[in-house]
Amino acid sequence: MIEVKNISKSFNGRPVLENISMQFDKGKTNLVIGGSGSGKTVLMKCMVGLLEVDAGEIVYDGNNFSSLSFKERKPFRQDIGMLFQGGALFDSLNVEKNIMFPLNMFTNMTLEEKRERVNFCLQRVNLVNVNQLTPSEISGGMKKRVAIARAIAPNPKYLFCDEPNSGLDPKTSIVIDNLIKEITEEYNITTIVNTHDMNSVIEIGDKIVFLFQGKKEWEGTADDILKTEHRELNDFIFASKLAKALKKQS
Amino acid sequence: MNYIFNIGRYWLFMKQLVARPEKFSIYWKQLVRELDNFGYGSMGIVALTSVFMGAVITIQTVYNLVSPLVPMTAVGIVARDSIILEFSPTMMSLVLAGKIGSSIASEIGTMRVTEQIDALEIMGINSSAYLVLPKIVAAMLIFPFVVIISMFLGIAGGWIAGVGAGVISSEIYIRGIQDSFVPYNVTFALIKTVTFAYIITTVSSFYGYYTEGGALEVGQSSTKAVVYSSILILVFDYILTQLLLT
C-alpha cells in the first residue's frame, strides 16, 4: 500500500500540486486521471522519488519514503517498477538485455536463470522471438510491452505506469490495459496508472482519483464515475460527442 | 549569473560521480566498451589528421628555412617538437572534443529527454556514475595512447611529405627528429592529454546530463559541449604550458 499525505510541489513559485492526500491499495489498479497539466506526472515523479516534494509524505507500506536519502531509498527502488510514457527502453541494448538489465544490476542470478526469467516475462506480455531485436526495430505497442516486461522482471511490489496508452491505437491500448490489470492481480502488487484514456478508466480502474489544476477533486470507482455530478470531472470524462451520447443513453 | 550556476552545478555533478559502483562487473563492461569506442573508434580521424598535420608542418618549415646558416636537420627538430608539444596533444584533443564530446553529450542528452536516465534512477542506479564514470576513466586511459600514435603518424607524415616532395632527404629528416630529443616533452604532452581527456568527458557529460526539452535542446547541448570543452582545452593548454615548461 502507498499513502500520499498532504503533499505539495511547486516549480519557481508556481504550485503544481497542492495539499494532495490519497491511498493506493495492494492488488488494485489505481488510476490517477486528469487533463494535461493537472499534475499527474509530477505526482508520480514525486511518488517514485524522481522529484522531491516541498511538503508532505510518501509512505510505502508504513515507511516514509520521502524522508529517506538516496542511499536509504535504494532497497525501496528495487521494489519499484515503472512504465514510462515512451517506454524508456535503452537504445543501445536489445530487448533481452533491456529486460535483463535490472537482474544484472541487483541479482546474482546465473546467465541461464536470467535468460529464463527474460523469456518468462516476454511470454507474460505476449511477445515471442523478439529477444535480439533493438528498440528501434519494434513497434510502439511492443515497446510498451517490453517496458512492462522489464518493469516486472525483478518482481516489483509497486508498479507505476505513466500514460501507458499514449500513442497507441485503441486495440493495442486495450491489450496494454488488460496486461497491467492481469499482472496487478496475479502478483498482488500496488499499481498506479496515470491516464486520460477513458477506456482505461472504465475497464481497469479499481480506484480512480481525479486531479484538476494540481488539486485532488474527486475519488471513487469506475461505477461512481458514470454517475458523478462533479462538474469538472464530467467535463473531462464526457468531453467527446461519443462519450456525451453514451452518457445520455445510460 | 548563469555561468556561476553552471560552475556550481558542474562540481556537484562531479561529486555525484564519486560513488561505489552498484556492480563492478557492469562498470567494467562499460569501461571496455568506451575504451573501444574512444580508442579504436577515433583512429580514423586521428590518423588522417596527424599525417596531414605532420606533412604540412614539414613542408611549411622547409619553405620558411631560407637562411643557409640553419641546418636542414632543423626541419626534423621543428616537426618533431611541434607535433609532440602542441599538435598531437592539443590539436588531437580539439578534434576529439568535436568527435567524442558531441557524441557523449548527444547520447546522454537523448537518454535524458527519452526518460532512460529516469528509468535508471527508478531502478536505484546512480545514473551519473553509471553513465559518466566509465567514459571519464576510459578517456583518461586511452587518450594518451591515441596521442602517442598521433605523434608517430604526424612525424611519419612529415617524412612522407618531405621526402616525397623532394624538399628534404630521408637521412636528414631522420637525423633531425633524433637530434636534441627531450623525453620530458612526451611526459608533458601526456599530462596535457590526460587533463584534456578529463575536460572533454566531464564537460560533455555535464551538458548532456542536464539537457531539458527535446531534439533541439539535445543539439544545443552537443554544441555547448564542444564549444566549452574546446575553450577549456585552450585555457588549460596555456596554464599547463606555463606551469610545466617555464
Side-chain angles (χ1 to χ4, degrees), chain A residues 45 48 50 70 74 77-78 80 82 84-86 88-91 101-102 104-108 150, chain B residues 20 22-23 26-27 29 33 110-111 114-127 130:
Chain A
K45 285 190 173 177
V48 296
L50 285 175
F70 182 85
K74 261 190 179 178
R77 286 192 191 278
Q78 284 155 31
I80 296 174
M82 184 153 175
F84 287 88
Q85 206 168 337
L89 297 177
F90 304 125
D91 296 327
F101 189 86
N104 284 336
M105 275 293 186
F106 302 111
T107 70
N108 292 317
R150 183 178 68 182
Chain B
R20 206 165 71 91
E22 283 82 12
K23 210 164 192 181
I26 303 281
Y27 277 64
K29 275 186 196 161
R33 195 174 72 98
T110 305
M111 288 187 77
T114 56
E115 297 178 310
Q116 292 175 51
I117 291 180
D118 287 346
L120 287 170
E121 293 283 330
I122 293 283
M123 290 177 201
I125 294 162
N126 180 344
S127 61
Y130 172 75

Side-chain angles (χ1 to χ4, degrees), chain B residues 19-98:
Chain B
R20 206 165 71 91
E22 283 82 12
K23 210 164 192 181
F24 191 77
S25 59
I26 303 281
Y27 277 64
W28 174 252
K29 275 186 196 161
Q30 288 283 96
L31 177 66
V32 173
R33 195 174 72 98
E34 300 300 356
L35 283 171
D36 176 56
N37 186 21
F38 294 166
Y40 182 71
S42 306
M43 274 333 293
I45 185 82
V46 167
L48 196 72
T49 316
S50 304
V51 170
F52 279 95
M53 186 178 69
V56 170
I57 291 169
T58 304
I59 290 174
Q60 283 192 353
T61 311
V62 172
Y63 175 72
N64 283 290
L65 266 185
V66 286
S67 170
L69 297 174
V70 181
M72 279 304 275
T73 50
V75 175
I77 298 171
V78 170
R80 180 201 66 206
D81 284 349
S82 308
I83 288 166
I84 291 177
L85 284 171
E86 197 58 28
F87 282 90
S88 279
T90 311
M91 280 287 288
M92 274 316 112
S93 295
L94 289 170
V95 168
L96 292 173

Side-chain angles (χ1 to χ4, degrees), chain A residues 55-111:
Chain A
E57 292 176 356
I58 312 284
V59 181
Y60 281 74
D61 290 322
N63 299 292
N64 188 353
F65 181 74
S66 46
S67 68
L68 303 175
S69 68
F70 182 85
K71 262 186 185 174
E72 290 168 329
R73 283 180 184 178
K74 261 190 179 178
F76 290 96
R77 286 192 191 278
Q78 284 155 31
D79 286 332
I80 296 174
M82 184 153 175
L83 169 62
F84 287 88
Q85 206 168 337
L89 297 177
F90 304 125
D91 296 327
S92 56
L93 306 177
N94 63 24
V95 166
E96 182 175 276
K97 286 180 180 163
N98 257 288
I99 302 170
M100 222 181 250
F101 189 86
L103 306 176
N104 284 336
M105 275 293 186
F106 302 111
T107 70
N108 292 317
M109 291 162 89
T110 63
L111 185 63

Side-chain angles (χ1 to χ4, degrees), chain A residues 210-239:
Chain A
F210 174 60
L211 291 189
F212 183 71
Q213 293 178 348
K215 290 178 188 151
K216 189 179 92 173
E217 286 284 333
W218 185 89
E219 191 175 331
T221 63
D223 290 336
D224 298 337
I225 215 165
L226 295 170
K227 299 170 205 152
T228 182
E229 294 300 318
H230 191 283
R231 198 170 63 88
E232 278 83 16
L233 181 57
N234 267 321
D235 288 348
F236 174 71
I237 298 273
F238 305 106

